[in-house]
Amino acid sequence: MFLPWQLSIVILSILGALRTIQNRIIGKNQADLSLYVLAASFFCVGLGGLIIGFSLDEPVVASDALKQWYFFALMAVSLTINNYLTFKLFRLLQASIISIASLLNSLAVVLIASFFLGEKLSASQWLGSIVLFCAVLLVQVQPQHKLKRKKLSISKSFLLILVIAITFGVGVVSEKHLLDTVSLSTYLVFGWGAQSVGVFSLVFLLRKKLVFPRSLISHAHVWLSAVLLLGGGFFFVHSVLDSNSSSLTSVSSSLKVTLAVVFSYFLLHERDQLLKKLASLLLSSIGLVLLFS
């Protein structure tokens, strides 16, 4: 690759933070457009996978993809559900809170890899898991001022966050398995294509027809979402293939969330509960360091 993988992680973090801001803008102001933006963006992702995959020197081996069809399907289904639920979550919560809560995705990946791939966790990693979970829980606990006695209740959206984390973990573990077993070209063509088909199938089931508004083609959110998705996917694959340091994964996650909190503060004016968000961010950074130590 033409870039150091460390720089790829930094760029990936920036693109992820920008996509968080964009998703919140869509979810808050143009919720009806979210499904169409998701479908159109993943159409570009599927097309990009075909173009990039067949342009590489490595061959696209269909027989290898057929042998791993279960993992392609598992990845497509889990990440399709993940993207759909994430868009729904952006209707309910601030971008800064969602970005902090997304750190549970890293925890889900580690735990699922541990249980299903036999990767053992050390005592410090289990401690990091607990710290990270508490950090995310911190921004989800809200005081109920209307009650005579101030009580703390966990937001209902926390259950949605847990489902999103689990589906993300299943998708990424499947994706990592595919990157280890098939060529990069085969993964791009069939993996990104499978995700595109999964999203289109979901939109068809929810809308009963695939009729897109004519103005969608020129809509800025579609092109921006496509660029962020394609760019993020490219730099994610680059960092996964070239990285041999798990500690940089924690740096990537912390950097992405930090940037998202900063961007949301200035661009979306999400300035309430700032101290709680910063405390949660600090605590989650400690948890990530322990988790990937």
Side-chain angles (χ1 to χ4, degrees):
M1 293 286 187
F2 61 90
L3 287 177
W5 65 273
Q6 293 91 340
L7 181 57
S8 292
I9 286 181
V10 174
I11 297 175
L12 175 63
S13 302
I14 296 174
L15 293 176
L18 290 175
R19 188 163 182 247
T20 298
I21 301 301
Q22 185 206 20
N23 288 342
R24 175 56 178 168
I25 293 174
I26 296 174
K28 184 178 180 180
N29 303 320
Q30 296 174 301
D32 293 337
L33 190 65
S34 59
L35 267 182
Y36 294 115
V37 171
L38 187 63
S41 302
F42 270 89
F43 171 80
C44 296
V45 168
L47 184 62
L50 286 172
I51 295 173
I52 299 173
F54 282 106
S55 65
L56 297 178
D57 295 333
E58 296 177 318
V60 177
V61 185
S63 59
D64 289 346
L66 288 175
K67 292 178 182 177
Q68 302 293 333
W69 70 268
Y70 175 78
F71 287 97
F72 277 108
L74 187 61
M75 179 190 67
V77 171
S78 58
L79 292 182
T80 295
I81 296 173
N82 175 270
N83 279 283
Y84 172 67
L85 293 181
T86 300
F87 261 104
K88 289 184 69 69
L89 189 63
F90 275 104
R91 301 181 187 182
L92 306 174
L93 298 177
Q94 296 179 354
S96 52
I97 293 179
I98 293 176
S99 63
I100 295 174
S102 68
L103 291 172
L104 279 185
N105 294 349
S106 300
L107 175 58
V109 171
V110 172
L111 293 180
I112 290 174
S114 173
F115 288 122
F116 293 98
L117 301 182
E119 299 180 5
K120 295 182 179 180
L121 298 181
S122 63
S124 62
Q125 288 176 313
W126 281 113
L127 177 60
S129 301
I130 297 173
V131 172
L132 184 57
F133 185 85
C134 292
V136 175
L137 193 62
L138 177 62
V139 293
Q140 286 299 304
V141 175
Q142 303 292 337
Q144 294 183 340
H145 299 288
K146 295 182 180 180
L147 297 180
K148 293 182 179 180
R149 293 183 180 180
K150 180 182 282 190
K151 295 182 179 180
L152 295 179
S153 65
I154 299 176
S155 171
K156 294 180 181 179
S157 59
F158 188 65
L159 295 177
L160 185 58
I161 290 172
L162 289 178
V163 175
I164 290 173
I166 293 172
T167 53
F168 180 86
V170 172
V172 170
V173 170
S174 301
E175 192 171 29
K176 184 63 171 67
H177 171 80
L178 291 171
L179 288 169
D180 291 338
T181 54
V182 302
S183 68
L184 177 59
S185 298
T186 304
Y187 163 77
L188 289 173
V189 171
F190 289 95
W192 287 14
Q195 293 183 55
S196 181
V197 170
V199 170
F200 264 79
S201 300
L202 177 65
V203 174
F204 180 79
L205 290 175
L206 295 176
R207 288 288 184 261
K208 304 300 181 184
K209 56 182 179 180
L210 291 177
V211 178
F212 297 97
R214 293 182 180 180
S215 60
L216 190 67
I217 297 176
S218 60
H219 205 288
H221 279 306
V222 173
W223 294 106
L224 179 58
S225 182
V227 169
L228 294 177
L229 270 174
L230 283 170
F234 174 80
F235 288 108
F236 171 77
V237 171
H238 181 199
S239 60
V240 168
L241 290 177
D242 291 3
S243 169
N244 57 3
S245 174
S246 61
S247 61
L248 262 294
T249 305
S250 64
V251 175
S252 171
S253 301
S254 297
L255 179 59
K256 172 188 171 183
V257 173
T258 302
L259 290 174
V261 172
V262 172
F263 290 167
S264 62
Y265 181 87
F266 288 103
L267 299 177
L268 303 179
H269 306 290
E270 297 180 358
R271 299 174 182 178
D272 59 312
Q273 300 182 342
L274 182 60
L275 290 179
K276 180 188 287 188
K277 294 174 184 176
L278 292 177
S280 178
L281 184 59
L282 177 61
L283 192 61
S284 63
S285 299
I286 297 174
L288 282 171
V289 171
L290 291 171
L291 188 63
F292 290 100
S293 61

